[in-house]
Amino acid sequence: MGIECRGEYILNRVLVEEEKQRLQTQDVYICKISAQQTSRILQFIALQGTEWESAEISVQKVPSFPPYTKEQFDEWKQLWPVAYRPLVQLKPVQLDDDERAYINENLSVVSQLQAKSDSEGNRGSAVIVGSPKAREAIVQSTDMTHTLVHPLKHAVMCCISKIADIELDKKKQGCFGDQCTNDNTNDQSEVQLVPAKRAHTPDIAGTPLVTEQISSANDIEDNAMEFTSGYLCGGLDVFSSKEPCVMCCMALVHSRIGRLFFIDPSESGGISYYSINSRKALNHNFTAFQCTLTSTQNLTP
Amino acid sequence: MSDIKDISINDSGTIKQIDQQTRERRLEYMQEALKMADEAYEASEVPVGCVFVQNDRIVGQGRNETNITKNGSRHAELVAIDRMLASGSNFHLDDFKTTDLYVTVEPCIMCASALRQVGIRSVFYGCANDRFGGCESVLHVSSDQGLDGLPYYSEGGYCRDEAVLMLRRFYVRENTTAPLPRKKANRVLKTEDLDIRRSNK
């Protein structure tokens, strides 16, 4: 062939736009300063050779946290790339008289239950699980750790367990009826590989919950079973005299509750310590209210 | 179990090199936990299983029972703890101080807190739990300061791939009895990235 092979070529990929831009920016090395690190920085520069001889080291104070206000952002962005996300303004809680009465009623009952339980030598909280749709309490429990000599039988765990028993009863009863004629042993596996409808944050104004499927509201008065959503504690309200611990808060996430109302906060509680009710990483969130008793019993979100 | 007693955590929080025998023994306990997970799988529960070990003896075991009980808090660890503390059992609350947990999946936030509150000594698990994990993945309930109960040592990676495989087998399965069965015809059980050497059950 006429073409003479003269040797190997070195192939350099042409830089893409982004890489070019990066090259144009001056390299900046940053690190936190401490006595030990300063000597390491000098060592590092010494190792870089001649092109670093004229390198300047300077110590600058920069914010280590993101700005919380617009003013901080304007000031800090001069020093350091920072992102500013204004706090989400939560809508003020609007409660109609009925709902307010339902919440107040349950909060006073848990207070009383707690006082009674305390007088019997227990230390934990008292809890009610209620239905926002029916505006009625479904189950209640006090802390059972002392009675049952079991450190995990907190009131929340006991209530979740009671709701589960109601659901099981409901299923059992249903199976004697007509709908469940082709019930079989696989029935246990009926459950939720398909995610249940996300228990959306209930609209405080009291529109019906998506998760609830009560067809006729007439006969629910005498049957607590009808109040539940059919999927764990989906969309239900939890009233607690104390802020639930981490275990209990996560159990409430697993149970898909809609709202939590608690009276006494706790530094080690799941809401105060970890905001378990609103973590994006978790597959379910719920609204939490810390409730303070006033003469008029106003709720403060 | 003298080997396991030798575990000591140094100042930087890392564990001392463990000897081969200790490691082998832990893998054996994890095989027992995997058997419990398999039982859960057969019962159409999310396949997570666990065993509690004290003085080289299995003193408790459990697996997920969330579906059959319709209770989202009936995870393997809590089921086992309830059985261990049930009246008539020889196991007492104080015994947790000298008891280790072997569980196929990293304990969730709820269980991680429960384990602090009973005072577990240490927790060994198979795979991480990216959605709910309370020992490293989502929160560090096992080691954070100021929470109820006592912090404990936790370490993952024991029979990890077998635990992952079990979960994948579960989630690839179609559930025809669900209210709205989801078609999973296109789902394939992926195994090529897993190294299942010990699956000789």
Side-chain angles (χ1 to χ4, degrees), chain A residues 163-283:
Chain A
I163 296 282
D165 290 343
I166 291 175
E167 288 297 322
L168 283 177
D169 276 354
K170 197 154 73 175
K171 194 175 88 173
K172 231 182 262 166
Q173 289 192 1
C175 290
F176 296 121
D178 291 331
Q179 316 105 298
C180 287
T181 41
N182 48 1
D183 185 35
N184 54 39
T185 47
N186 281 338
D187 192 47
Q188 295 174 4
S189 62
E190 161 201 322
V191 269
Q192 286 73 31
L193 289 187
V194 177
K197 270 180 214 157
R198 185 167 267 257
H200 78 171
T201 311
D203 185 333
I204 308 280
T207 48
L209 291 181
V210 183
T211 42
E212 294 208 299
Q213 293 158 354
I214 299 171
S215 48
S216 148
N218 295 332
D219 54 355
I220 58 173
E221 243 66 39
D222 29 53
N223 195 352
M225 294 180 181
E226 298 280 330
F227 294 169
T228 57
S229 67
Y231 181 65
L232 307 173
C233 304
L236 297 181
D237 287 337
V238 174
F239 304 89
S240 179
S241 58
K242 293 182 183 172
E243 178 180 340
C245 73
V246 173
M247 171 183 71
C248 290
C249 283
M250 192 58 197
L252 294 176
V253 172
H254 286 317
S255 301
R256 311 286 201 273
I257 66 150
R259 296 184 296 185
L260 166 68
F261 302 85
F262 62 90
I263 301 172
D264 293 333
S266 153
E267 273 181 27
S268 61
I271 309 298
S272 301
Y273 198 103
Y274 285 131
S275 304
I276 287 178
N277 63 309
S278 58
R279 291 193 86 92
K280 288 211 179 89
L282 300 178
N283 67 344

Side-chain angles (χ1 to χ4, degrees), chain B residues 171-174 182-190:
Chain B
Y171 284 111
V172 82
R173 180 159 71 173
E174 268 182 52
R182 192 193 269 178
K183 292 235 168 64
K184 294 185 177 176
N186 299 329
R187 296 214 185 170
V188 187
L189 183 61
K190 282 185 200 152

Side-chain angles (χ1 to χ4, degrees), chain B residues 19-35:
Chain B
D19 59 56
Q20 189 59 26
Q21 199 189 352
T22 306
R23 187 172 165 76
E24 286 296 321
R25 199 167 299 164
R26 286 185 188 161
L27 290 171
E28 279 166 27
Y29 288 129
M30 197 55 85
Q31 286 300 320
E32 295 302 314
L34 282 161
K35 281 181 195 161

